[in-house]
Amino acid sequence: MTNFLKPRRAVPQEVCERGLTWIKPSFLWMMYRCGWGTKEGQETVLAIEIDREGFLWALRNACLSHHVPALHGDRASWKRQLRQAPARVQWDPERDLHLNPLPHRSLQLGLAGEAAARYADEWIVGIEDVTPLAREIHGLVRTGQPGSAAGLLPQERPLGLDDEVLAGLRA
């Protein structure tokens, strides 16, 4: 499982304590978020490979980032769940090569507390700087070569999860 973001260890500890570390398994969604690595403070794009068991642990211990009455009951129950969960899931529109939204959603997984610590200390099995790749693909898109750009995209496949893993995380 590869996600695209900065590893927790590369971020000052006080930032980790204040916010979430987000796993974005979609390359194009990350390009949307970081502007192809051109946004200030987001000029480096890392592909971080994590082990499947860690990712599954995070999903099993996650709460949706928004209230869904059919899943959570009342809003107070959902807020309690959200405060206690070490991970949260939100579903955002997937992106095309021009970073326009597509009709299907991509999972974003926010990690805090125990989940962020496990991510940094146990789950990471590889880190690759994909900034040059992001810039090359962006250059091809800008010069009207979408076929060549698409050919360079990292291969992404559905993870194939059991229904029980995602049961409480569907919006």
Side-chain angles (χ1 to χ4, degrees), residues 68-110:
V68 176
L71 290 174
H72 306 113
D74 62 66
R75 188 171 285 280
S77 295
W78 164 72
K79 283 187 177 183
R80 215 173 12 263
Q81 262 186 298
L82 191 60
R83 272 194 310 274
Q84 294 171 351
R88 65 181 60 180
V89 165
Q90 68 184 42
W91 297 92
D92 295 311
E94 182 53 82
R95 301 292 165 158
D96 67 15
L97 275 170
H98 298 283
L99 307 183
N100 297 312
L102 293 170
H104 56 280
R105 302 256 172 197
S106 180
L107 179 136
Q108 315 303 318
L109 182 61

Side-chain angles (χ1 to χ4, degrees), residues 144-165:
Q145 300 175 65
S148 296
L152 295 176
L153 290 172
Q155 188 177 41
E156 297 175 351
R157 297 173 312 280
L159 193 53
L161 298 172
D162 296 333
D163 282 342
E164 63 89 13
V165 174

Side-chain angles (χ1 to χ4, degrees), residues 8-48:
R8 183 172 174 263
R9 284 176 268 207
V11 179
Q13 184 62 32
E14 62 274 7
V15 172
C16 292
E17 291 170 357
R18 282 195 319 255
L20 296 172
T21 296
W22 285 94
I23 292 175
K24 295 164 176 49
S26 162
F27 182 82
L28 287 174
W29 199 95
M30 187 62 213
M31 294 307 100
Y32 165 73
R33 182 70 176 88
C34 72
W36 294 100
T38 63
K39 289 184 180 177
E40 185 177 335
Q42 298 181 46
E43 295 90 351
T44 301
V45 182
L46 301 177
I48 301 176

